[in-house]
Amino acid sequence: MYQDVEFESEKAVLRGRHYRNSEVTRPTVVMTHGTSATITMVIDRYAEAVFEAGFDVLLYDHRNFGQSGGEPRQEINPWVQARGYRDAVAFLRSTQQSGQIALWGDSYSGGLALVAGAVIQNISAIVAQIPVCGASWPEGELDDSAFSTLVDIFEFGDVAGDPGDVVGPLPVVSLDQINAPSLLTPPQAFQWFLEHGGRHGSGWDNKVSRIVPKTSVPCSPLVTAPYLAMPVLMMIGKNDEMIHCNPELQNAVFDRISGPKEKQVIDGGHFGLLWEDSSNFAKAVTAQIEFLKQVL
């Protein structure tokens, strides 16, 4: 069903799977997972469904995670992960193995897809699943000047950050928030990661660091939303328990999107549609495929 592929991004090799029909050129959906997760922790089930529905898929692990290279291991940097989308698209276009290209992101990557999609040229559609849009409003203006600065940082900025910008290393999830506090605190997160992280070959490790460099403009979809002219599907979890999925900010991002847009609310909070045998998963993937068929 797929070929193993690799491409360079930020001086590291990103690795993943290319689900491709070699006989015809089809639209390709570039997919990657959220905080610390890897490609066999349910996103591959989305990829299989999207592929079987008539689209090619490039699915990869973020830099520093899973099969992909990069140091330090288990470190999240939003700018670096957003650039991964750029380099995945460049890889597809360099090999001439795709027609239209859509971006798909889950959770943290859902927010980053809404950033990268505004900067990468000629993206045809975006699916942002339970996207992280922030816990609170970012400081500063959200105007044309901010977007111009964001583009400059995305393309050329030094986003290495300083030691003081790092949170961690610490567990991704933990049930003992007093003695072993974790990056993600809801019990739903603990349940999902412990169930899916142990899958054979996942490469998931229950530790993470997050670095958010002090840039003049944040890596935020609130800045880029007005410049998203392509069709966008935002799929939001009802009563999302994750603090960085503040519904006020998610709705503000959606309202600011300038192009054709659709919003769907799925039951089950943040993790409801990440259980592959659930009705919420079926509803989510069906809606996403229908959207992609309409716009691509």
Side-chain angles (χ1 to χ4, degrees):
M1 184 180 292
Y2 62 84
Q3 294 179 323
D4 294 329
V5 294
E6 58 183 41
F7 56 93
E8 291 189 4
S9 181
E10 297 295 287
K11 299 180 181 180
V13 176
L14 306 191
R15 298 182 177 91
R17 301 173 175 180
H18 195 183
Y19 298 77
R20 178 171 174 254
N21 185 323
S22 60
E23 298 179 359
V24 294
T25 299
R26 309 195 302 181
T28 301
V29 182
V30 178
M31 305 178 73
T32 192
H33 232 314
T35 297
S36 86
T38 62
I39 60 177
T40 61
M41 292 171 66
V42 88
I43 192 176
D44 54 336
R45 306 299 175 87
Y46 277 97
E48 291 166 5
V50 170
F51 175 71
E52 291 170 359
F55 304 93
D56 290 354
V57 176
L58 176 61
L59 169 65
Y60 68 94
D61 281 330
H62 284 299
R63 189 187 193 279
N64 307 335
F65 290 90
Q67 300 175 14
S68 291
E71 296 287 344
R73 299 304 295 171
Q74 305 299 121
E75 181 181 87
I76 298 169
N77 181 319
W79 294 100
V80 168
Q81 293 192 349
R83 288 173 177 176
Y85 277 112
R86 174 197 64 189
D87 298 328
V89 171
F91 164 74
L92 288 171
R93 289 174 173 164
S94 70
T95 56
Q96 297 181 335
Q97 293 180 342
S98 67
Q100 295 172 294
I101 295 177
L103 305 185
W104 186 104
D106 165 72
S107 190
Y108 199 64
S109 294
L112 297 180
L114 294 168
V115 172
V119 182
I120 304 169
Q121 295 296 311
N122 300 319
I123 295 300
S124 297
I126 297 174
V127 175
Q129 175 171 287
I130 48 176
V132 166
C133 296
S136 58
W137 284 88
E139 297 180 1
E141 298 296 327
L142 304 175
D143 55 11
D144 291 343
S145 176
F147 177 70
S148 178
T149 301
L150 182 146
V151 172
D152 187 64
I153 296 170
F154 182 93
E155 295 290 3
F156 310 111
D158 180 356
V159 296
D162 298 318
D165 300 328
V166 179
V167 175
L170 72 172
V172 179
V173 291
S174 169
L175 280 182
D176 185 357
Q177 293 300 317
I178 296 176
N179 297 303
S182 57
L183 183 68
L184 308 180
T185 59
Q188 297 92 329
F190 179 89
Q191 182 182 11
W192 186 83
F193 273 98
L194 267 292
E195 172 71 22
H196 290 77
R199 291 184 174 184
H200 175 71
S202 75
W204 181 74
D205 192 354
N206 190 20
K207 63 180 179 180
V208 68
S209 297
R210 184 168 63 194
I211 181 167
V212 181
K214 292 183 177 67
T215 52
S216 55
V217 173
C219 187
S220 169
L222 283 164
V223 178
T224 58
Y227 307 90
L228 295 171
M230 72 293 289
V232 175
L233 170 63
M234 282 184 64
M235 188 160 283
I236 296 171
K238 186 177 181 180
N239 300 319
D240 195 316
E241 61 274 14
M242 301 302 293
I243 188 173
H244 288 92
C245 289
N246 183 333
E248 179 185 354
L249 271 66
Q250 288 177 327
N251 289 327
V253 168
F254 181 79
D255 291 342
R256 289 170 61 84
I257 293 171
S258 60
K261 54 191 175 182
E262 179 181 347
K263 179 170 60 177
Q264 294 198 17
V265 179
I266 296 291
D267 289 336
H270 192 79
F271 292 92
L273 42 65
L274 296 181
W275 293 91
E276 64 275 22
D277 296 325
S278 70
S279 61
N280 287 328
F281 174 92
K283 291 176 183 177
V285 74
T286 299
Q288 292 169 15
I289 289 169
E290 182 179 349
F291 169 78
L292 292 169
K293 286 184 175 180
Q294 289 175 350
V295 302
L296 298 180

